[in-house]
Amino acid sequence: MPDRRTETGQPEKRGTALTGCIDLMNLGLASRGDHRNVRGFIVVAVLWILAALTALVLIYLTYVTNTAVVVANSTDRVHNEALATAAVELAAYQLTALKEDARPTSGTFNSRLGTGKLTVTYRSEAARIDLNAAPKGLLAGLMTGLGAGPSDAAVYADRILAWRAPGKAGDDDPENSFHRTSGVAHTPRHAPFPLAEELWLVQGIPPLVVEQMLPFVTVFSNLASVNILDAAPQVVAALPGMTPEKLQSVLAQRGDPTLDRQSLLNAIGGAATLAGSKAYRVSIGVEFDGGRRSAAEVVILLLESGDEPYRVLSWRDASDGGDEPQRASLR
């Protein structure tokens, strides 16, 4: 069959209509593929946005939770400090309301303030052995009663006396030499202990002995003797000449309200006294209605004159490690 020619003389292409249909179909398929690609991209983008929003929500929730915890802890601390301060004020009021010669050396009372129930015990620091005033025999007696050997206790007591005693000039001080040969960077203070925890720095005394001593010593009484009516049994046992039999007798007699206290004092003698100190240790327990508890231990000094009835010498909350042995740094 001869070729059909167009008016221009070129051969006519057959199947032009069919080719156009195929091209249109391919174009449609390509268009649908592009639409699917666009939809896939949108889905991925939406998922990323949702993930980012979720992360932001989690960060915000963490921030809100941490903020709530901090605010709650701060509120609790402020509440605890306010009640502890009120307890100290009440104790100081009870003590300063009486003349010094009629003032009790110890006592306890309960009170309720707001949602907290207070249990307060106060005791003169004369119930403890003063590290700055006690003689060697009393210090050694305490350590012996806590388990140290008599000869070791005497050496440990010498270390305490040397720490608080004025030192010699230059390198002639034997206590300075002892500390340097012990491998520590500090030398003795050669001055009164500013706080009982400085015992940790005295070389030559085992840490266990220091830990056992701290509940029974002070730096606030300024007395060379101890009050036998308020002192712990371990302190009474430290008195010179005290035997186990005599100790049991003293402990039994001092609880008798009809006892002639002066006769008891005369029978003991030595480093015993019935007098108190102007410094008092106030132990405070707080119980809230929800069952939460807190505690504090405050040492105050009663003032006989001035605008303030007392001054705080030491303040320790239970959250500050009040039940743990405290360590000191030399300043």
Side-chain angles (χ1 to χ4, degrees), residues 247-330:
L247 173 63
Q248 294 301 320
S249 175
V250 170
L251 296 179
Q253 292 182 65
R254 72 177 186 175
D256 184 358
T258 63
L259 173 70
D260 181 359
R261 297 180 176 181
Q262 189 59 46
S263 64
L264 178 62
L265 179 63
N266 294 337
I268 297 175
T273 183
L274 298 175
S277 167
K278 291 184 179 181
Y280 281 78
R281 188 173 299 262
V282 185
S283 300
I284 305 160
V286 183
E287 182 178 358
F288 295 92
D289 290 342
R292 185 170 59 86
R293 297 173 181 268
S294 68
E297 186 179 79
V298 185
V299 180
I300 61 174
L301 177 66
L302 301 182
L303 304 176
E304 300 301 329
S305 61
D307 297 332
E308 298 293 333
Y310 68 91
R311 182 170 73 245
V312 174
L313 302 177
S314 171
W315 186 300
R316 182 176 298 166
D317 295 317
S319 59
D320 297 332
D323 295 334
E324 298 294 331
Q326 302 294 304
R327 294 186 178 270
S329 59
L330 190 63

Side-chain angles (χ1 to χ4, degrees), residues 134-193:
K136 177 180 176 178
L138 188 56
L139 293 169
L142 174 63
M143 289 181 277
T144 301
L146 295 175
S151 59
D152 290 335
V155 173
Y156 303 156
D158 283 334
R159 299 271 81 84
I160 295 174
L161 297 180
W163 181 276
R164 75 190 192 194
K168 297 181 180 179
D171 296 330
D172 295 332
D173 189 286
E175 199 65 20
N176 291 348
S177 300
F178 173 76
H179 276 69
R180 279 194 292 268
T181 56
S182 298
V184 295
H186 64 269
T187 56
R189 182 177 292 276
H190 292 306
F193 286 82

